[in-house]
Amino acid sequence: MLELAIGIILGGCAIGAGLALIAGIGPGIGEGNAVAKACEAIGRQPECKGDVTTTMLMGCAIAETTGLYGLVIGILLIFVAPGRFVDILMNAIK
């Protein structure tokens, strides 16, 4: 019975980590759209290249934080959470 509970904990953490890493899709799509629009804007008005590039890089940096948060949560769910949950289970059994 204990092995089943530990297996459920490990499986749940693995599924949660996989779902957390889906958060990397949004920043990739968003940054691709931002770069495409920036290239389009520079093509229309080349004299605004500095302003457009600066704004695009700032927006991409902010958008990337979402993916990084997902990555951190995924890493925590893979390496930290299973041990903590198993410890909680063992203390509950005692």
Side-chain angles (χ1 to χ4, degrees):
M1 188 66 166
L2 181 63
E3 292 83 17
L4 178 63
I6 292 174
I8 290 172
I9 289 171
L10 295 176
C13 288
I15 290 171
L19 291 174
L21 293 179
I22 291 175
I25 294 172
I29 293 171
E31 290 173 20
N33 286 337
V35 172
K37 296 296 183 180
C39 290
E40 183 180 324
I42 292 170
R44 289 181 182 193
Q45 292 185 348
E47 64 273 4
C48 294
K49 179 181 178 184
D51 293 336
V52 171
T53 303
T54 302
T55 304
M56 179 203 61
L57 289 176
M58 182 62 84
C60 285
I62 292 170
E64 189 64 31
T65 59
T66 306
L68 291 175
Y69 289 146
L71 177 66
V72 169
I73 295 298
I75 289 172
L76 288 174
L77 281 172
I78 291 173
F79 294 110
V80 177
R84 301 277 297 196
F85 289 144
V86 169
D87 289 342
I88 291 170
L89 176 68
M90 293 301 188
N91 288 334
I93 292 174
K94 291 180 185 178

